[in-house]
């Protein structure tokens, strides 16, 4: 018991002298709770969609022999559907358009999640027994199935509400811009590649550097007749191989065990690997940079949750970027992993082939270069 | 005309940590091919002096200068690195590399070609009697063997000048003597300049010249024989206490 007490007292004494640790202990848990709460508490709302409404009021006459049993003007169901979605449904924000072809291009360019075409005589065809079968054209971006599911649900509910019993001859004709037949797992796998590769390269590098510093070998390396940049580049080269292996493993498991396909063409796969290696670099340079600010192994380990949790929550890996509250979304735009996730999803889901001037790619490379330069200045013996 | 070629010239060197004068107005010249032993108790400032010489620490601002092998430190420290050997006080090895792999790694890190690195590694292993241990992981080596491996790694580039910070700390007397024989051999055969520190006062006897250090100050610089004669003592330990008495009186 005596020893227990002595050790306890010593631990408290040493901990209380390490102000950063005290800070982490006190500020950390509430901060993470708030981040989780904000991140997961939000509903998917205000997804932009476009509607082209060519419907109008319908004069419906129903004859029975020589009599007329029904002769009334039915007000446009298209209008009522549009109004429900536009005014009452918080899940979507409606823009009214007139040209279907240009609206489809907007969907391709990610301006709208979908465009719904309500055809001419929609109400008449639904209501009148003389009307023909009618289908509603939807051009749809399902590259994020979480968002896609909510949008489709909102549209279907509004049609059900408006058309009620007349639904028999109504069909939905959905054309996919992206993500046809995509499962939630298809959607999450690119994010898992980013998270797995980032997490491991960050962890491994920071642990290795701690050991290098602790054992004193870093001091020796710094006395060798080479520029410090070579130490950083050595780490970069080694962990590129690690990232490549990890990406391969994730692709194999996703493909063989869960039937997720992550690319179609060779160019897709090459793009995927390049993107994954760059993710590894971002984790690695951040680890090298941060390790310079740790005065002990203990402090270095603290950087792991501080880095990993925001990356998991704010890069769009689990929560779509559009659902992250705007007060913290700027953090997302500063995280290189946000661009990694976006890029890998484009490659895996939309079949995108990496172009050299892609903004996300350039942002990540800029981040890596900046931290390499910064680490060259901060990597010191003491 | 320069009669003596000095490999290390320190002038008016100062280093403070807070209120501690770790190095206090230090002047020192070391000749080429000389084994100079900086001796003094713990916290005397030996390590700090070496770190200043290598440009790892910056001296206090003022009228000081550090020249090593004719290079101005810290401005030209990268040029010095090619021809020096450095054994830090904390002996550093990669645990998960074998003794041989460690030595060869540092040979290459110091800029030797692959073939030179192999040749030099083999000769260091032979010279420091590491042959039977060369394939063991560093983490499995005994303390003395680790220290020999670290020394081999520091000297594998056949440096023209070596800075060895407490190379013999914790070693048994036999091994200590072997280390010093090695220092003498390379100083005589290759004209290597060696600055070695120790807090074992008796070891200083084996050096060409001794600098006695205490509280950041060099209180004597002499050959061991002269020092003992001047203080009328027969061993270095007694000499040291005699010197301190003189200082504090
Ligand atoms: N990085 C440092 N920060 C603060 N004090 C230091 C530091 N390095 C050395 N010192 C102090 O400087 C003095 C000399 O230390 P050092 O050069 O390591 O002595 P020696 O090598 O002779 O044992 C000691 O009092 C030590 O505590
Ligand atoms: Mg020391």
């Amino acid at each position: 018991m005596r020893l227990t007490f002595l050790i306890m007292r010593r631990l408290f004494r040493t901990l209380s002298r390490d102000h950063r640790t005290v800070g982490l202990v006190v500020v950390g848990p509430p901060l993470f709770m708030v981040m989780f709460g904000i991140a997961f508490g939000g509903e998917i709302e205000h997804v932009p969609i476009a509607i082209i409404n060519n419907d109008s009021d319908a004069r419906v006459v129903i004859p029975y022999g020589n009599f007329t049993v029904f002769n009334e003007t039915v007000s446009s169901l298209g209008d009522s559907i549009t109004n429900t979605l536009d005014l009452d449904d918080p899940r979507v924000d409606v823009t009214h358009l007139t040209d279907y072809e240009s609206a489809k291009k907007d969907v391709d360019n990610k301006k709208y999640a979908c465009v719904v075409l309500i055809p001419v005589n929609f109400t008449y065809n639904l209501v009148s027994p003389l009307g023909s079968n009618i289908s509603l054209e939807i051009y749809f971006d399902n590259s994020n199935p979480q968002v896609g599911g909510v949008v489709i649900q909102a549209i279907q509910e509004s049609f059900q509400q408006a058309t009620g019993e007349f639904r028999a001859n109504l069909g939905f004709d959905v054309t996919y811009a992206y993500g046809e037949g995509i499962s939630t797992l298809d959607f999450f796998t690119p994010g898992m590649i980013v998270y797995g590769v980032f997490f491991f390269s960050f962890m491994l590098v920071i642990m290795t550097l701690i050991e290098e510093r602790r054992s004193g070998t870093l001091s020796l390396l710094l006395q060798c007749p080479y520029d410090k940049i070579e130490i950083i580049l050595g780490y970069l080269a080694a962990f590129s191989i690690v990232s490549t292996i990890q990406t391969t493993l994730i692709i194999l498991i996703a493909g063989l065990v869960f039937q997720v396909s992550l690319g179609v063409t060779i160019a897709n796969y090459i793009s995927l690997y390049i993107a994954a290696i760059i993710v590894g670099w971002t984790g690695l340079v951040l680890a090298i940079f941060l390790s310079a600010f740790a005065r002990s192994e203990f402090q270095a380990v603290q950087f792991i949750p501080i880095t990993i949790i925001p990356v998991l929550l704010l890069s769009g890996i689990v929560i779509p970027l559009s659902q992250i509250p705007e007060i913290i979304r700027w953090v997302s735009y500063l995280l290189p992993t946000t661009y990694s996730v976006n890029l890998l999803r484009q490659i895996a889901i939309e079949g995108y082939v990496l172009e050299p001037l892609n903004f996300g790619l350039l942002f990540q490379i800029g981040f890596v270069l900046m931290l390499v330069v910064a680490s060259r200045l901060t990597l010191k013996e003491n | 005309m320069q009669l003596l070629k000095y490999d290390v010239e320190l002038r008016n060197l100062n280093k403070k940590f807070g209120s501690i004068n770790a190095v206090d107005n230090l002047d020192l010249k070391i000749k080429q091919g000389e084994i100079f032993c900086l001796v003094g108790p713990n916290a005397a400032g030996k390590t700090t002096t070496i770190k200043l010489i290598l440009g790892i620490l910056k001296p206090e601002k003022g009228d000081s200068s550090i020249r090593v092998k004719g290079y101005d430190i810290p401005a030209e420290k990268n040029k010095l690195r090619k021809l020096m050997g450095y054994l830090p006080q904390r002996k550093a090895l990669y645990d998960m590399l074998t003794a041989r792999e460690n030595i060869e790694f540092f040979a290459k890190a110091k800029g030797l070609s692959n073939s030179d690195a192999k040749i030099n590694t083999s000769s260091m292993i032979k010279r420091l009697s590491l042959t039977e241990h060369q394939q063991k992981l560093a983490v499995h080596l005994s303390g003395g063997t680790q220290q020999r491996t670290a020394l081999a790694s520091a000297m594998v580039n056949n440096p023209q000048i070596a800075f060895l910070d407490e190379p013999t700390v914790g070693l048994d007397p036999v091994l200590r003597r072997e280390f010093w024989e090695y220092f003498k051999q390379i100083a005589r055969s290759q004209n290597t300049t060696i600055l070695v520190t120790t807090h074992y006062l008796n070891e200083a006897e084996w050096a060409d010249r001794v600098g006695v250090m205490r509280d950041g100050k060099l209180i004597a610089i002499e050959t061991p024989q002269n020092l003992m004669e001047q203080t009328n003592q027969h061993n270095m330990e007694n000499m040291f206490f005699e010197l301190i008495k003189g200082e504090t009186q």
Side-chain angles (χ1 to χ4, degrees):
Chain A
M1 273 316 278
R2 188 176 143 74
L3 186 64
T4 308
F5 180 71
L6 286 175
I7 289 173
M8 186 185 79
R9 215 174 55 169
R10 199 213 70 216
L11 279 175
F12 272 115
R13 187 168 290 167
T14 46
L15 277 178
S16 66
R17 282 178 190 162
D18 185 345
H19 299 299
R20 198 184 303 178
T21 303
V22 172
L24 186 76
V25 166
V26 176
V27 180
L31 199 67
F32 287 146
M33 190 54 232
V34 169
M35 278 166 55
F36 268 103
I38 293 175
F40 285 111
E43 301 273 323
I44 293 184
E45 285 185 337
H46 302 297
V47 181
I49 68 168
I51 297 181
I52 296 166
N53 182 10
N54 294 334
D55 190 27
S56 51
D57 294 351
R59 181 83 193 167
V60 180
V61 180
I62 301 178
Y64 185 77
N66 292 332
F67 302 97
T68 298
V69 293
F70 189 87
N71 185 350
E72 264 178 62
T73 301
V74 180
S75 60
S76 164
L77 294 171
D79 287 355
S80 122
I81 289 162
T82 309
N83 281 338
T84 311
L85 285 172
D86 195 358
L87 306 175
D88 300 335
D89 198 327
R91 289 174 289 187
V92 291
D93 282 349
V94 177
T95 304
H96 301 273
L97 297 176
T98 51
D99 181 8
Y100 189 49
E101 287 310 313
S102 81
K104 278 162 77 171
K105 290 224 169 60
D106 287 341
V107 173
D108 288 340
N109 294 328
K110 305 264 171 187
K111 192 171 170 194
Y112 304 114
C114 71
V115 50
V116 182
L117 177 63
I118 304 175
V120 177
N121 289 337
F122 176 70
T123 307
Y124 179 81
N125 282 317
L126 271 182
V127 174
S128 166
L130 304 175
S132 44
N133 280 355
I134 188 158
S135 78
L136 200 73
E137 277 188 56
I138 300 177
Y139 188 69
F140 183 44
D141 170 10
N142 195 36
S143 58
N144 183 337
Q146 281 173 292
V147 174
V150 168
V151 170
I152 282 290
Q153 202 186 354
I155 292 171
Q156 281 177 342
E157 280 174 17
S158 72
F159 275 76
Q160 266 169 27
Q161 199 184 325
T163 57
E165 70 256 43
F166 304 117
R167 256 180 301 129
N169 51 353
L170 172 65
F172 286 92
D173 178 8
V174 179
T175 312
Y176 287 88
Y178 307 109
E180 179 167 11
I182 185 181
S183 70
T184 308
L185 195 64
D186 294 329
F187 177 71
F188 277 119
T189 306
M192 283 326 294
I193 293 178
V194 172
Y195 192 64
V197 170
F198 183 89
F199 181 82
F200 278 102
S201 58
F202 183 84
M203 272 265 295
L204 289 174
V205 170
I206 208 159
M207 301 306 281
T208 316
L209 271 176
I210 293 166
E211 177 56 20
E212 190 108 68
R213 210 174 269 278
R214 189 201 59 76
S215 70
T217 48
L218 185 66
S219 319
L220 287 178
L221 289 182
L222 291 172
Q223 290 310 309
C224 288
Y226 292 101
D227 194 283
K228 272 186 263 184
I229 201 104
E230 295 208 24
I231 301 175
I232 300 169
L233 294 182
Y235 269 75
L236 223 62
F239 282 91
S240 300
I241 297 168
V242 175
S243 307
T244 311
I245 294 170
Q246 288 179 324
T247 307
T248 307
L249 289 175
I250 296 175
I251 290 174
L252 281 178
I253 291 171
L256 297 178
V257 183
F258 298 106
Q259 280 87 43
V260 173
S261 112
L262 290 162
V264 196
T265 62
I266 299 282
N268 268 158
Y269 277 107
I270 292 173
S271 300
L272 198 70
Y273 273 102
I274 293 173
I277 286 170
I278 292 171
V279 175
W281 287 354
T282 61
L284 173 139
V285 293
L286 194 61
I288 295 179
F289 179 71
L290 289 179
S291 76
F293 296 97
R295 259 171 283 110
S296 63
E297 295 144 59
F298 195 50
Q299 286 192 340
V301 172
Q302 292 167 5
F303 285 125
I304 296 172
I306 288 180
T307 308
I308 292 299
I309 292 179
V311 163
L312 181 64
L313 292 180
L314 300 178
S315 312
I317 292 172
V318 280
I319 307 143
L321 212 58
S322 57
Q323 301 323 126
I324 293 169
E326 284 183 27
I327 37 163
I328 54 168
R329 207 186 295 169
W330 60 271
V331 179
S332 302
Y333 288 118
L334 294 178
L335 292 175
T337 41
T338 300
Y339 304 91
S340 324
V341 172
N342 194 28
L343 205 55
L344 272 151
R345 274 196 190 130
Q346 279 183 300
I347 293 167
I349 298 174
E350 295 162 21
Y352 175 71
V353 173
L354 207 51
E355 293 155 315
L357 289 182
N358 178 292
F359 176 76
L361 183 72
L362 293 181
F363 184 94
Q364 293 176 77
I365 290 176
F367 179 88
V368 170
L369 289 179
M370 198 180 74
L371 284 193
V372 165
V373 171
S375 302
R376 194 185 163 282
L377 299 175
T378 53
L379 194 64
K380 285 206 184 95
E381 178 153 340
N382 295 313
Chain B
M1 199 182 91
Q2 206 175 352
L3 287 175
L4 281 173
K5 190 171 170 358
Y6 289 111
D7 262 12
V8 178
E9 291 174 85
L10 310 179
R11 198 166 51 77
N12 203 13
L13 216 51
N14 283 287
K15 180 71 192 175
K16 288 185 184 158
F17 293 109
S19 59
I20 301 170
N21 284 328
V23 171
D24 195 353
N25 262 316
L26 196 96
D27 289 286
L28 178 63
K29 288 181 178 178
I30 301 175
K31 285 169 266 183
Q32 187 176 10
E34 185 176 38
I35 302 178
F36 189 93
C37 182
L38 211 49
V39 66
N42 282 324
K46 306 182 293 293
T47 298
T48 307
T49 305
I50 287 189
K51 286 188 173 177
L52 287 169
I53 295 175
L54 298 183
I56 297 171
L57 291 174
K58 284 201 177 66
E60 300 302 319
K61 288 201 175 64
D63 179 31
S64 67
S65 81
I66 306 172
R67 285 187 83 76
V68 186
K69 278 276 170 197
Y71 295 124
D72 193 28
I73 306 295
E76 296 177 297
K77 64 181 174 186
N78 284 328
K79 291 182 182 158
L80 173 63
R81 282 175 186 170
K82 292 206 179 73
L83 30 114
M84 73 172 199
Y86 171 43
L87 182 68
Q89 182 168 354
R90 197 168 42 147
K91 311 300 176 279
L93 294 171
Y94 289 106
D95 280 352
M96 299 315 282
L97 295 186
T98 64
R100 170 176 277 276
E101 286 166 343
N102 266 290
I103 301 167
E104 203 169 318
F105 172 83
F106 286 110
K108 290 174 186 167
K110 286 154 178 250
L112 296 192
S113 70
N114 286 353
S115 55
D116 284 351
K118 271 210 162 56
I119 294 167
N120 287 16
T121 300
S122 295
S123 70
M124 284 310 295
I125 284 175
K126 228 167 136 190
R127 178 62 189 85
L128 291 173
S129 321
L130 284 164
T131 310
E132 57 178 307
H133 304 292
Q134 57 177 319
Q135 301 302 352
K136 294 182 194 159
L137 290 181
V139 68
H140 294 147
L141 299 174
S142 69
T145 312
Q146 283 181 348
Q147 224 151 309
R148 265 184 288 163
T149 309
L151 180 66
S153 302
M155 304 301 285
V156 68
N157 56 333
N158 287 328
Q160 297 178 29
I161 183 163
F163 301 92
L164 309 174
D165 198 355
E166 309 232 13
T168 58
V169 65
L171 294 183
D172 63 64
V174 178
L175 208 49
R176 256 197 263 170
R177 238 173 225 278
E178 277 175 22
F179 270 44
W180 275 91
E181 266 152 30
Y182 168 69
F183 302 155
K184 283 201 174 149
Q185 188 217 324
I186 57 170
R188 303 298 172 255
S189 67
Q190 299 173 31
N191 211 18
T192 311
T193 311
I194 303 178
L195 172 58
V196 49
T197 75
T198 182
H199 67 267
Y200 300 124
L201 303 169
N202 285 329
E203 264 183 12
E205 262 176 67
W206 302 325
D208 295 329
R209 274 198 309 151
V210 179
V212 182
M213 203 166 181
R214 189 173 176 242
D215 294 338
K217 292 190 191 66
L218 264 178
I219 54 178
I221 305 178
E222 264 301 352
T223 61
Q225 293 72 24
N226 285 352
L227 267 180
M228 287 187 277
E229 273 170 32
Q230 281 169 17
T231 50
N232 249 329
Q233 298 297 332
H234 304 293
N235 71 48
M236 291 298 279
E237 218 158 289
N238 294 349
M239 175 283 300
F240 181 73
F241 288 110
E242 204 52 38
L243 268 180
I244 296 176
K245 248 198 284 172
E247 277 276 304
T248 42
Q249 267 164 14

